Amino acid sequence: MADQHGQPTSGTGNIRKRKVSDDIIDSTVAETKFRKTSKNPPKVAEDVTVLRNKDIRAEAKSLDHGQLPIDILLLTVKDCEFLACLSFMTSFTKRYENDLGFVYIGSMCESSVNMKIAVMKCRMGAAVPGGSAGVVRDAVKALTPKAVFCVGYCGGLNPAKVKLGDVVISEKLITYAPSKVTQNGIEELGDRVPPSTKLGKLILNAADGWEAPLQDPAELEVEVKRGALLSGPQMVDNNELRKALIKRFPNGIAIEMEGEGVYGAAHDLGVEWIIIKGVSDFADGTKSETNSWRPFASLMAASLVAHILQNPIIFENWGHYNDGKSSLLSSLGERVLQSSHREPASQSNDSKTRVSSGKVIKDGVPTSDDLQHLSLKLGTSWKPLARCLKFDKASITVFHKENEEFTEKALSMLQKWKAKYGSGATFRVLHDALCDERVCQRELAEQFCYC
């Protein structure tokens, strides 16, 4: 007997309820299909500069008042997750603080409203020393962000619900490890929590207008999936365990290890939090076969996060943790103050070349040697500098495509700037561009543009 839609029904006229075993069957069918069609991930768009470890040449400086408070903290674990986030930064500086380690601070948008983004790494897992729980707790108290995003790659639980490369947003986080095993089965003791209030509303439209940065979008339809994300201490790569988790949590679509620590620390401190990760495997014993998907999945997740952060006006009225009062204030008290980073207003609109430090900006035009030496130091900052020097997107794309190394991209751009503007390509113009908040290279400005 069937209803009007062709669905089987019982004798009482009720539609047959879907069983957990159906999800496992669907998962198995999709898994078989996946293994037959799995291949390397598609290439990312040419205008995305994917950073490598060797590209991160910035010299570390001490964290000081000028970088605080930050607005958003991005937490990563693996190198590919960390590099994916930095690849979507328009500029960044490398900072160090004894209690935190390295912190990369910069921007992810080109808006006139500058929003400070910090990127950090933690160890795999939540409760381990250096894991997500402890790092988030220390970083929030020190950097006083408005929100914490955990970004990277995860394992998909059910190939019928997600595919490789899809980006999962934790519409619900389930801590699956706490449980009580009885003769009657497993009693779940873990938490099942939605994200924090503001981000919970924001993620409803997170995918609006986002396009996966692919060379050929037709090669793979990368989708954003909001759903239940399992988080726990195990790195799951066993098909029987995966099926057992599906049976226990039929609504779960993916699994990872750091979310429970992010949630616990952020919840205790009253800070907004969310987990956004790309699917790189299916936790079924074949992780090693999809290793190449980890950097790709991380890039897709970081791209979506960068898309969300392109509208800083959304976060403008969100409060900083502890009203922006850092736990590091006493240790930073003797360091450079924010006011020392700003030029006095009386000099901001005149033609004087003397700056607040008493140093004088060089007259004239930089030589070819000057530009070559500067290009060796710029790193990823060459692109926001190009925007400040009035190059359009098409020209910047040409510099990017025609040159492989960052030093070559930077030198090509600087030489073109000098040829284009001639006597107008002065040390003063270069200084102001380097000091622009989108570039954040005041130290380079002082090094190359002062007498």
Side-chain angles (χ1 to χ4, degrees):
M1 182 176 179
D3 67 2
Q4 59 180 336
H5 300 294
Q7 297 292 333
T9 65
S10 67
T12 59
N14 295 323
I15 297 176
R16 179 179 65 85
K17 292 184 178 180
R18 184 176 180 83
K19 299 178 181 178
V20 172
S21 58
D22 294 332
D23 286 321
I24 297 176
I25 292 172
D26 286 350
S27 171
T28 303
V29 172
E31 179 185 348
T32 302
K33 181 179 179 181
F34 155 71
R35 287 180 173 172
K36 291 180 179 180
T37 60
S38 177
K39 56 183 179 180
N40 290 328
K43 294 181 178 180
V44 299
E46 292 183 349
D47 61 349
V48 176
T49 303
V50 181
L51 299 183
R52 300 160 294 181
N53 287 105
K54 70 175 186 177
D55 297 323
I56 313 300
R57 300 176 179 176
E59 183 180 352
K61 303 293 183 182
S62 295
L63 186 67
D64 60 45
H65 287 279
Q67 286 77 50
L68 302 179
I70 68 157
D71 296 300
I72 305 293
L73 171 62
L74 306 184
L75 185 69
T76 65
V77 178
K78 297 297 186 179
D79 279 353
C80 64
E81 301 172 332
F82 170 72
L83 293 170
C85 289
L86 290 188
S87 294
F88 288 97
M89 301 278 276
T90 57
S91 63
F92 59 82
T93 59
K94 185 178 181 180
R95 299 288 169 170
Y96 182 81
E97 207 286 322
N98 286 335
D99 294 334
L100 298 178
F102 290 105
V103 184
Y104 290 73
I105 300 177
S107 175
M108 264 190 171
C109 69
E110 301 171 21
S111 169
S112 58
V113 180
N114 189 33
M115 189 161 64
K116 291 181 181 177
I117 312 297
V119 183
M120 294 182 64
K121 293 174 71 175
C122 71
R123 295 188 182 278
M124 184 183 299
V128 299
S132 60
V135 170
V136 168
R137 187 174 294 109
D138 292 343
V140 167
K141 291 179 179 179
L143 304 176
T144 66
K146 298 178 177 180
V148 179
F149 287 63
C150 188
V151 188
Y153 64 82
C154 63
L157 275 181
N158 191 337
K161 295 181 178 180
V162 294
K163 62 181 178 294
L164 292 178
D166 282 350
V167 181
V168 173
I169 301 178
S170 59
E171 193 167 48
K172 178 183 292 184
L173 186 77
I174 300 175
T175 59
Y176 67 85
S179 61
K180 180 180 179 180
V181 180
T182 69
Q183 291 182 344
N184 296 323
I186 297 176
E187 181 182 346
E188 304 298 346
L189 302 177
D191 292 335
R192 303 184 184 214
V193 294
S196 49
T197 305
K198 294 185 178 70
L199 280 172
K201 295 177 181 177
L202 184 60
I203 64 172
L204 296 176
N205 298 93
D208 293 358
W210 178 71
E211 294 182 12
L214 305 178
Q215 279 192 22
D216 181 8
E219 190 172 352
L220 179 68
E221 183 183 1
V222 179
E223 298 177 279
V224 176
K225 300 295 183 73
R226 303 193 314 271
L229 178 64
L230 273 59
S231 187
Q234 294 178 306
M235 180 187 288
V236 179
D237 190 25
N238 180 282
N239 202 35
E240 293 306 313
L241 179 55
R242 179 184 68 88
K243 290 179 180 179
L245 288 171
I246 293 175
K247 185 175 181 179
R248 287 171 58 191
F249 307 101
N251 294 327
I253 63 173
I255 186 170
E256 56 84 73
M257 299 176 65
E258 292 72 41
E260 64 175 344
V262 174
Y263 146 65
H267 174 77
D268 288 346
L269 296 172
V271 175
E272 295 284 319
W273 64 275
I274 197 74
I275 316 298
I276 299 181
K277 297 192 173 186
V279 177
S280 66
D281 62 81
F282 286 108
D284 60 357
T286 64
K287 277 184 183 288
S288 60
E289 297 177 17
T290 60
N291 280 344
S292 61
W293 285 85
R294 294 178 182 178
F296 178 84
S298 300
L299 276 167
M300 295 302 105
S303 172
L304 179 63
V305 170
H307 174 73
I308 293 171
L309 300 180
Q310 285 298 310
N311 296 297
I313 190 68
I314 294 173
F315 306 91
E316 190 172 16
N317 294 322
W318 291 24
H320 287 274
Y321 169 75
N322 198 29
D323 295 325
K325 298 174 184 176
S326 170
S327 62
L328 299 176
L329 284 178
S330 58
S331 62
L332 297 179
E334 299 302 320
R335 299 182 187 173
V336 181
L337 299 176
Q338 280 181 296
S339 58
S340 68
H341 289 271
R342 299 196 182 102
E343 188 173 328
S346 61
Q347 295 185 8
S348 61
N349 295 318
D350 59 26
S351 59
K352 293 180 181 180
T353 58
R354 187 172 297 276
V355 294
S356 59
S357 63
K359 297 180 181 179
V360 176
I361 297 175
K362 297 175 183 177
D363 291 327
V365 175
T367 66
S368 296
D369 285 345
D370 291 329
L371 298 182
Q372 186 169 8
H373 291 155
L374 177 58
S375 68
L376 296 174
K377 298 284 188 177
L378 276 174
T380 57
S381 294
W382 77 270
K383 189 177 288 187
L385 179 62
R387 297 188 186 99
C388 291
L389 293 177
K390 300 182 179 179
F391 284 104
D392 58 23
K393 185 176 181 179
S395 299
I396 294 173
T397 300
V398 171
F399 297 136
H400 171 63
K401 288 183 178 180
E402 293 183 351
N403 301 277
E404 182 175 354
E405 299 295 330
F406 285 107
T407 54
E408 296 169 350
K409 301 176 197 291
L411 182 58
S412 176
M413 180 272 295
L414 290 169
Q415 290 173 336
K416 184 70 173 179
W417 168 68
K418 182 177 178 180
K420 182 178 180 180
Y421 291 100
S423 60
T426 64
F427 278 105
R428 178 71 198 195
V429 173
L430 183 59
H431 169 275
D432 291 348
L434 287 168
C435 292
D436 188 282
E437 62 183 9
R438 292 169 291 177
V439 185
C440 297
Q441 290 290 354
R442 181 172 291 275
E443 291 169 355
L444 284 182
E446 294 177 356
Q447 182 180 347
F448 286 93
C449 300
Y450 288 176
C451 294

